[in-house]
Amino acid sequence: MSDILDVKVNEFMAKVIAKNPGETEFHQAVKEVVESLMPFIEENPKYKQHKVLERMVEPERVIIFRVPWLDDNGEIQVNRGFRIQMSSVIGPFKGGLRLHPTVNLGILKFLAFEQVLKNSLTTLPMGGGKGGSDFDPKGKSDNEVMRFCQSFMTELSKYIGADTDVPAGDIGTGGREIGYMFGQYKRLRNEFVGVLTGKSLEWGGSLIRPEATGYGSVYFAQEMLATRGGNLKGKVCTVSGSGNVAQYTVEKLIQLGAKPVTMSDSSGYIYDPAGIDTEKLAWVMELKNIRRGRISEYAEKFGCEFVAGKTPWGVKCDCAFPSATQNEVNENDAKTLIANGCSLVSEGANMPSTPDAIEVYIKAKILYGPGKAANAGGVATSGLEMTQNSMRLPWSREEVDAKLHQIMINIHKTCVKYGTEADGYINYVKGANIGGFIKVADSMIAQGLV
Ligand code: NDP
Ligand code: 2IT
């Protein structure tokens, strides 16, 4: 980037940082986007005149609320609830709810900001939002989780609705939590509507929604590999996380003949050089979704290595799928991945690579699919769930999967269109940021001062 553009980015960021002190993840997410957009905005002055970027970094509304609940000992617990309603310019606010002790305003604002561009990339009419709480579902009984979710929804219900804001799952929020929240919303409003996605099939959910983020991230990887005449067959893949996204990433990798060799949780990773197969994955799903145990048990069960307190990026692989959390791949990890011959990173998680790591990927010209493109299949299929709810008609598994696959192909095309550089290298960061931005920016201008 030229010096002048650098100065403009720094000036813009200085204002964002001064106005949003301490929100480091939000600063990080905004900076990455602004760096991509600045040259484009300079070439298209209407976006500058209309102060589109300045408006996009200011949420339409932020709701912060108290969530009191009773634990199993009858003691009162108090958590903090949030909903960031970032942008409704192309559709109702849409995005997940994160339940994790690290949740704070800056993390949710980064996620909401990313969500706006991601949702735009899906081509579906969805605005962007994110929410959650510093509540930790780990180690809580089902009843405690239910009481928390009911209290959380009692307040959140005042601000959401099928045509206003449609939350879904994220870290710590899976089918169980969505069920408790949906039940409470229905009692409070006396309405059976599509106010949440990720619902169970029996009560308005969509087939393939549980699988969608992981499948989508692998479909995106396939598209990236195809630009270099490659495919996933026989590729050794490292995957981090062992939750929703990681599980279905591994499932799709197995189906396509790749060899996933790692999974992880916040305690460490397992390395199974023989490959995680269908049977082992079914065991992981039971472990994580029903017994709610730790991934280290995999190593005991299947006799492989468990490495405590580490991420899996030191394991030699062809392709890496970070699918746990933000900033889980740092500069050194990125260098190690590349030194080990890794030629593709597809992000199931949101912002899992630090800015320094991204620089390493781009310098090495590997195939790098940033989260807002690579993991958009989850929210895209939430959009498909909303459509089915509006029609009051469910689609078959094949139909939803085909639509998801096509959406990932289209997102890839958008990235190629806006991200291909002079030497032919596809910079997916640039492609996703510009591709997601245009629709939101033009809609903002068309709608006046919103
Ligand atoms: P889950 O709660 O199902 O799983 C999260 C996994 O990541 C767990 O294995 C968890 O381990 C691990 N993890 C979470 N926080 C940390 C941490 N701070 N350090 C190390 N490991 C951690 O969440 P999802 O699979 O739904 O989400 C994973 C990522 O994908 C997130 O970045 C999320 O925002 C993103 N995403 C999710 C979508 C969805 O549809 N669910 C859609 C698009 C993106 P442990 O159990 O030990 O905490
Ligand atoms: O980060 C994400 O895109 C999600 N957690 C899914 C959001 C959704 O509304 O399905």
Side-chain angles (χ1 to χ4, degrees):
M1 217 185 320
S2 77
D3 288 351
I4 295 180
L5 289 175
D6 262 346
V7 171
K8 285 184 193 275
V9 169
N10 289 339
E11 279 173 5
F12 185 84
M13 285 314 302
K15 286 186 195 149
V16 170
I17 292 165
K19 207 162 181 187
N20 304 279
E23 297 176 7
T24 49
E25 290 86 357
F26 180 58
H27 306 160
Q28 182 184 332
V30 171
K31 187 160 188 227
E32 184 223 86
V33 169
V34 173
E35 279 174 347
S36 293
L37 287 176
M38 205 50 95
F40 180 74
I41 288 177
E42 288 298 313
E43 283 164 23
N44 296 274
K46 67 173 173 177
Y47 299 125
K48 210 160 53 170
Q49 281 153 19
H50 287 273
K51 299 251 167 91
V52 172
L53 264 188
E54 286 81 349
R55 287 193 266 163
M56 278 179 71
V57 296
E58 196 62 34
E60 284 183 32
R61 190 177 295 113
V62 174
I63 301 136
I64 302 184
F65 50 97
R66 179 200 299 158
V67 189
W69 55 279
L70 278 181
D71 70 17
D72 285 346
N73 297 322
E75 214 176 292
I76 295 168
Q77 300 290 337
V78 183
N79 286 98
R80 184 170 294 171
F82 301 85
R83 186 72 182 164
I84 318 297
Q85 297 185 332
M86 203 72 184
S87 171
S88 63
V89 80
I90 61 169
F93 302 108
K94 180 84 197 86
L97 296 169
R98 179 172 291 190
L99 299 181
H100 195 272
T102 56
V103 160
N104 60 37
L105 184 61
I107 288 181
L108 294 181
K109 277 173 66 179
F110 116 62
L111 289 161
F113 181 75
E114 290 281 288
Q115 198 82 47
V116 174
L117 298 169
K118 184 196 305 191
N119 293 5
S120 167
L121 281 171
T122 66
T123 69
L124 302 176
M126 297 182 290
K130 198 85 188 189
S133 172
D134 57 1
F135 173 77
D136 187 358
K138 260 197 233 103
K140 304 289 192 300
S141 69
D142 279 354
N143 277 329
E144 288 177 324
V145 171
M146 180 180 73
R147 286 193 293 270
F148 167 83
C149 289
Q150 290 178 338
S151 179
F152 181 80
M153 183 50 87
T154 300
E155 186 59 24
L156 186 67
S157 66
K158 298 167 188 168
Y159 309 99
I160 61 174
D163 292 319
T164 306
D165 183 352
V166 182
D170 193 74
I171 291 178
T173 306
R176 174 182 62 169
E177 291 74 19
I178 293 290
Y180 294 148
M181 290 183 196
F182 184 79
Q184 184 70 352
Y185 183 89
K186 194 165 59 58
R187 287 171 81 200
L188 290 165
R189 301 287 278 259
N190 197 26
E191 282 177 359
F192 192 111
V193 293
V195 67
L196 294 167
T197 59
K199 301 185 293 298
S200 270
L201 275 183
E202 300 80 4
W203 38 274
S206 173
L207 285 159
I208 299 287
R209 177 61 189 92
E211 294 89 339
T213 312
Y215 279 20
S217 155
V218 178
Y219 291 149
F220 197 81
Q222 274 185 306
E223 292 305 303
M224 291 198 286
L225 286 167
T227 65
R228 296 184 181 177
N231 62 48
L232 280 162
K233 218 164 177 51
K235 295 277 188 312
V236 174
C237 300
T238 47
V239 179
S240 65
S242 48
N244 172 269
V245 179
Q247 290 169 16
Y248 289 103
T249 296
V250 169
E251 182 167 289
K252 186 51 78 179
L253 287 172
I254 298 169
Q255 284 172 14
L256 294 175
K259 190 184 191 189
V261 293
T262 66
M263 290 184 92
S264 71
D265 59 24
S266 53
S267 310
Y269 73 89
I270 58 102
Y271 174 40
D272 187 346
I276 302 164
D277 60 18
T278 305
E279 207 177 301
K280 292 168 179 173
L281 177 63
W283 186 89
V284 171
M285 287 185 176
E286 210 258 338
L287 170 78
K288 284 289 169 182
N289 309 344
I290 296 163
R291 286 201 284 126
R292 298 181 190 275
R294 309 303 297 160
I295 200 68
S296 54
E297 294 173 46
Y298 181 106
E300 289 156 33
K301 169 83 183 168
F302 298 110
C304 71
E305 195 184 348
F306 171 70
V307 182
K310 291 252 160 59
T311 49
W313 314 124
V315 172
K316 187 172 164 51
C317 66
D318 303 306
C319 305
F321 293 83
S323 309
T325 194
Q326 65 273 2
N327 293 329
E328 56 167 319
V329 190
N330 64 28
E331 184 179 6
N332 278 337
D333 298 328
K335 286 181 177 158
T336 308
L337 281 168
I338 285 162
N340 282 338
C342 173
S343 67
L344 175 144
V345 177
S346 185
E347 295 185 338
N350 285 305
M351 206 169 78
S353 304
T354 64
D356 292 342
I358 296 173
E359 216 178 300
V360 172
Y361 305 147
I362 294 193
K363 265 204 188 120
K365 298 201 184 285
I366 65 161
L367 297 166
Y368 165 56
K372 70 170 72 65
N375 74 39
V379 73
T381 308
S382 280
L384 302 177
E385 182 172 331
M386 289 167 73
T387 307
Q388 293 167 81
N389 289 167
S390 297
M391 298 192 304
R392 297 183 194 281
L393 276 178
W395 288 327
S396 69
R397 198 178 162 81
E398 291 71 27
E399 205 167 348
V400 182
D401 195 26
K403 286 186 161 69
L404 163 66
H405 200 161
Q406 191 57 51
I407 288 170
M408 297 315 296
I409 292 172
N410 292 345
I411 295 173
H412 184 268
K413 278 194 188 135
T414 302
C415 292
V416 171
K417 179 172 174 189
Y418 294 107
T420 305
E421 299 190 325
D423 64 355
Y425 176 64
I426 304 164
N427 182 330
Y428 290 90
V429 176
K430 186 171 144 196
N433 286 335
I434 297 176
F437 172 78
I438 292 174
K439 187 161 70 162
V440 176
D442 289 346
S443 309
M444 234 171 166
I445 294 171
Q447 290 175 25
L449 262 188
V450 293

